[in-house]
Amino acid sequence: MARAPIRAGELGTVQITRLARGRYRARARTRDDAGTLHQIVAVAATEESARLALKRKAELLSSTLLAGLTPDSTIAEAAAAWLQQIHARAIAGSLSFSTYESYETTARCLLVPQCGGITLGALTVGRCDRIIQAVLLGRSVSAARRARAVLGLICGYAVRDDAIPFNPVRDVQRLPLPEKKTSILTPAQIAGIRELMTHWREDRHDGPRPDYRALIDGMDIMLGTSARVGECIGLRRCDVDITTAPPTMLIDGTIIQNKEQGITRKNAPKRTRQRRRVALPGLAADAVRRRLALAPRGKEALLFGTKHGTPISVSNYERLLRSFVDDNRDALIGLGVDPDEYSTHIYRRTTATLVERAAGLTLASRLLGHANEQITRASYVVSAEEVDPITVDILDELLGS
């Protein structure tokens, strides 16, 4: 009966020879992943050590060595192995470093403290559900959603590594959605906020006055274009054209910040497919003209750069806005604006809602750069409280008066 062929990564018959001075030589044949036969040799102080060294040499010729996870591996070990792969993807450019850092923070601060010692083989749907529910009760809805997403990705990696047969996170119960914010700004409120910004800390004597003009111009551009804050402060001279009627602006980049790259301008919006050119209404066009007058020369010059021409970070811009809100809480409440809901996101929500009410969801979704209109409806558009009274005429005609 013919012997079974040697498979990739396996050893054939091992021959052990005792050498001079008490050392041992192990010799055997093995195949690599391409099927090529190799004769390998290992020498060690003991017979067992020689066999182990021979086995490691065989594994180096085959991808079997890469299958590092087993059912006995812990979630912490699986997370570390998965993050190495994610970091490699970020270096290769198929994933952003910001995404990698978000995953790493969630794994380190949420998952490992909560369940890092649990083995992959012990993960059932019920246990995963209890882990995520514990995060929900102990932290927040958003923390639980992040934990579920990252745990699912880790388990997916373990499935691909043959450590577990299926991904148990897929069947975990759905988490509640975060409460949708419904506040938008009215034209009167926008005018009032602009007035507050204009006079914010104008009598300050304990240091330089904050850059209130950046807050006003940023608000007007974001309201007039639906641009995100990173897209707004990432605008360059070459992105705007005020010679056309109406003037236009190309949303073709955003400011990002991470440990690996620092503060940089990414030459694409949040999603590459969201690249778009929008016409500028009057308030946004005026703001762009003001920024052009302040910006350095050169087509690549940033309209919202630092005094050295480098990008400002989103966090610094939002910190400036929070300082304004903290100093003007009572005045904002007097305008009917909730200070706790006031952020740059309210500008995008206001624009989406006003355009949707006037021209429909399709145009609002296109302006925001969404590929799916349901994203616009679910996350940005605030439904009007009053139903169109035309329903009276329709029902009177159908049902009688």
Side-chain angles (χ1 to χ4, degrees), residues 273-320:
R273 64 175 180 271
Q274 294 176 350
R275 183 178 185 271
R276 61 204 184 278
R277 183 175 290 277
V278 298
L280 298 177
L283 84 167
D286 290 342
V288 166
R289 292 187 183 96
R290 290 193 295 268
R291 301 316 299 180
L292 287 171
L294 296 172
R297 296 298 174 187
K299 65 177 184 178
E300 299 289 331
L302 292 166
L303 301 192
F304 287 86
T306 66
K307 63 181 180 180
H308 302 295
T310 56
I312 62 174
S313 68
V314 171
S315 59
N316 281 343
Y317 187 92
E318 291 182 334
R319 187 180 300 114
L320 180 67

Side-chain angles (χ1 to χ4, degrees), residues 52-195:
L52 288 174
L54 197 69
K55 182 179 179 182
R56 282 194 293 269
K57 284 191 174 185
E59 289 173 339
L60 288 172
L61 293 171
S62 168
S63 60
T64 55
L65 184 64
L66 302 177
L69 296 181
T70 70
D72 294 327
S73 300
T74 64
I75 292 177
E77 293 168 342
W82 171 72
L83 284 170
Q84 285 183 351
Q85 185 187 74
I86 296 298
H87 189 258
R89 289 179 56 192
I91 293 174
S94 63
L95 190 84
S96 71
F97 281 104
S98 299
T99 300
Y100 162 75
E101 289 178 7
S102 175
Y103 288 160
E104 191 275 335
T105 300
T106 299
R108 173 170 47 84
C109 298
L110 282 178
L111 286 178
V112 172
Q114 187 74 35
C115 58
I118 299 175
T119 62
L120 295 174
L123 281 180
T124 62
V125 174
R127 194 158 192 179
C128 289
D129 191 69
R130 289 190 291 275
I131 290 169
I132 294 167
Q133 291 301 314
V135 176
L136 175 64
L137 293 174
R139 299 291 187 100
S140 64
V141 174
S142 60
R145 292 175 70 84
R146 294 197 306 274
R148 174 177 174 163
V150 172
L151 182 59
L153 291 170
I154 292 171
C155 287
Y157 174 77
V159 171
R160 296 191 300 275
D161 213 22
D162 298 324
I164 52 177
F166 69 97
N167 189 338
V169 181
R170 290 182 177 178
D171 293 323
V172 168
Q173 64 177 318
R174 290 180 178 273
L175 289 166
L177 292 173
E179 184 177 353
K180 180 180 178 180
K181 293 184 178 181
T182 59
S183 57
I184 62 172
L185 300 176
T186 65
Q189 289 171 334
I190 293 169
I193 291 168
R194 190 181 291 109
E195 184 70 14

Side-chain angles (χ1 to χ4, degrees), residues 18-48:
R18 182 165 182 162
L19 304 176
R21 299 181 183 177
R23 295 177 66 79
Y24 291 85
R25 179 181 64 203
R27 180 183 300 172
R29 295 191 298 176
T30 187
R31 293 186 190 274
D32 59 23
D33 285 356
T36 304
L37 199 61
H38 296 265
Q39 180 81 27
I40 55 176
V41 178
V43 178
T46 66
E47 181 178 341
E48 184 63 25

